[in-house]
Amino acid sequence: MSSDLVALVRRRPDVHAVADGMIAMGEALELRGGEPEPTLVYDTEGRLLISIEDAVQVSAQSEIRRLLGADFAERVTAPVWWVDVRAVADLPDATRVARKFAESLVHWAGGTVYPDGTSEAPARSWKASDQGGPGGGAPGQDGAAYHGGVIGG
């Protein structure tokens, strides 16, 4: 059985950039696939470690409540980008890599990780400023902007 995590992030996530960052910081990983297929992460021996599904925007708080439960939904405010991260069960390093990836995604894009995330963290990316939406930002960039510790405000 796989180990599943959900990263609920504030801004449209760049899965490849975060995974490439992990590789740059010393994780011996190889990426394959991606949009529209899941991004697959392998170890140096060619064994599949994790599968990362494409991000889906969830705009209704009721959907977060329905899918993850009322207690967890209280920690998250919609809209968010939902990213499923699945670790292969029979490789001990897979769960560690999945956790590190999900936490890195939340670190840079803001949000929290299910099932055990605490409160939402603000985005810490240098790109997190006046994105998309009416009146500003670069086209094609979705999500809330980060302004002095407040997301979307």
Side-chain angles (χ1 to χ4, degrees):
M1 176 183 252
S2 66
S3 174
D4 296 343
L5 299 171
V6 177
L8 300 164
V9 295
R10 290 275 123 223
R11 296 181 307 113
R12 184 182 192 115
D14 187 340
V15 168
H16 281 263
V18 171
D20 286 343
M22 289 174 59
I23 293 167
M25 296 303 291
E27 288 288 340
L29 305 171
E30 179 185 334
L31 301 178
R32 298 181 196 163
E35 297 178 35
E37 300 297 319
T39 299
L40 304 176
V41 180
Y42 292 82
D43 66 11
T44 56
E45 296 176 27
R47 296 178 298 189
L48 176 64
L49 294 175
I50 66 174
S51 171
I52 306 162
E53 298 293 327
D54 283 343
V56 175
Q57 190 171 33
V58 178
S59 298
Q61 191 71 28
S62 60
E63 277 300 290
I64 297 169
R65 189 176 309 106
R66 182 181 72 81
L67 295 166
L68 302 179
D71 289 341
F72 194 83
E74 289 178 14
R75 302 182 214 166
V76 180
T77 304
V80 293
W81 290 89
W82 179 295
V83 182
D84 284 313
V85 182
R86 293 184 175 88
V88 174
D90 57 349
L91 295 174
D93 208 33
T95 301
R96 181 192 63 79
V97 170
R99 169 69 55 190
K100 186 172 183 179
F101 173 82
E103 289 175 354
S104 295
L105 197 59
V106 165
H107 175 81
W108 294 111
T112 191
V113 177
Y114 175 87
D116 55 352
T118 54
S119 62
E120 292 184 87
R124 293 183 180 96
S125 171
W126 61 271
K127 289 182 169 184
S129 63
D130 292 329
Q131 299 176 23
Q141 290 182 320
D142 299 306
Y146 173 64
H147 301 283
V150 178
I151 293 181

